[in-house]
């Protein structure tokens, strides 16, 4: 066998050994993130957080908001979307913390040295985030059901409510992962992401109608993304008294544009950061 043939054969074998089993790697890394969260009780936190949001919103505000008038059959029906959105935001903060921890600990650099597609670690983080997100959404729906929320629309609208909640959560997690990867500081990332959901949640139509806010801030309250998400979810959830807005394209379009735009930007920065290291 000639030297050229030997070199070619050796190179071919090296290429075969270096070819990553991308799906298997993604699964292993996903399990690496999910199993510890089950053992350490992080899943319990994912369940408890939406239940806590439900109680903290409903108990102090039910009587006040029902007396003030909401145009809905109950305050539980009105506030259900903000519980779902807060559960999504809570998962997003956890996602950012995890991405920043992987970056600052050198784990991402270790993965870069392996025969692995550079997007696999980020994909595994997102899979584990979706796992926690699904648990949080189920807990949020159960919690709001306990205080009186009911799906009052068609079956398609109910499915739409659940799918939209999942998409919003994925949207939050992708953006948070991108921020965590770039900041590379778990503490700074957590502090950075705690206030925006709190401020936008309070200054939104999730807890009270826009007309109950001061006139000078009503425009912001009505048009900011959390309010758009809440109105879309509220329409899909329906109202037993028939007071919910109909599901129309004009109502859903801002939410769709916010989700598509944010996911596109987040995916760009996540891919850019991961491919730059490869």
């Amino acid at each position: 066998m000639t030297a050229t043939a030997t070199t070619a054969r050796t190179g071919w074998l090296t290429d075969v050994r270096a070819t990553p089993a991308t799906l298997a790697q993604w699964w292993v890394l996903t399990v690496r993130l999910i199993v510890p969260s089950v053992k350490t009780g992080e899943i319990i936190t994912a369940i408890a957080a939406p239940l806590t949001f439900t109680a903290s919103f409903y108990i102090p505000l039910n009587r006040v908001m029902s007396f003030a008038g909401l145009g809905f059959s109950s305050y539980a029906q009105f506030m259900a979307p903000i519980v779902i959105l807060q559960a999504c935001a809570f998962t997003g903060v956890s996602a950012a913390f995890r991405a920043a921890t992987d970056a600052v600990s050198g784990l991402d650099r270790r993965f870069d040295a392996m025969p692995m597609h550079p997007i696999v670690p980020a994909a595994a983080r997102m899979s584990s985030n979706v796992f926690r997100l699904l648990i949080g959404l189920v807990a949020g729906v159960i919690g709001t059901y306990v205080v009186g929320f009911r799906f009052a629309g068609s079956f398609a609208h109910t499915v739409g409510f659940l799918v939209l909640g999942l998409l919003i959560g994925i949207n939050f997690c992708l953006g948070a992962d991108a921020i965590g990867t770039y900041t590379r500081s778990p503490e700074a990332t957590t502090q950075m992401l705690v206030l925006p959901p709190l401020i936008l949640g309070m200054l939104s139509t999730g807890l009270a109608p826009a007309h109950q806010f001061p006139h000078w801030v009503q425009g912001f309250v009505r048009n900011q993304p959390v309010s758009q998400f809440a109105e879309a979810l509220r329409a899909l959830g329906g109202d037993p008294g028939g007071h919910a807005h109909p599901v129309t394209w004009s109502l859903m379009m801002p939410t769709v544009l916010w989700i598509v735009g944010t996911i596109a930007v987040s995916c760009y920065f996540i891919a850019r950061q991961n491919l730059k290291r490869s």
Side-chain angles (χ1 to χ4, degrees), residues 80-147:
I82 195 63
V83 173
I84 299 300
L85 294 176
Q86 288 295 325
C88 293
F90 182 83
T91 307
V93 173
S94 299
F97 182 86
R98 192 167 294 105
T101 300
D102 285 355
V104 75
S105 66
L107 190 60
D108 287 343
R109 289 193 300 272
R110 199 177 313 164
F111 287 147
D112 291 340
M114 298 178 180
M116 178 187 300
H117 194 284
I119 296 298
V120 169
R125 286 198 304 269
M126 278 307 304
S127 299
S128 66
N129 292 334
V130 171
F131 173 75
R132 295 177 182 86
L133 177 63
L134 288 171
I135 292 174
L137 292 178
V138 170
V141 171
I142 292 174
T144 53
Y145 247 72
V146 170
V147 297

Side-chain angles (χ1 to χ4, degrees), residues 211-255:
H211 66 79
Q212 293 188 8
F213 288 86
H215 180 74
W216 57 271
V217 79
Q218 287 182 12
F220 172 79
V221 169
R222 188 177 293 108
N223 295 298
Q224 57 115 325
V226 173
S227 293
Q228 298 294 332
F229 295 158
E231 293 297 334
L233 288 170
R234 197 169 286 133
L236 289 168
D239 180 66
H243 303 298
H245 292 297
V247 179
T248 61
W249 174 243
S250 60
L251 178 67
M252 304 300 294
M253 181 174 64
T255 294

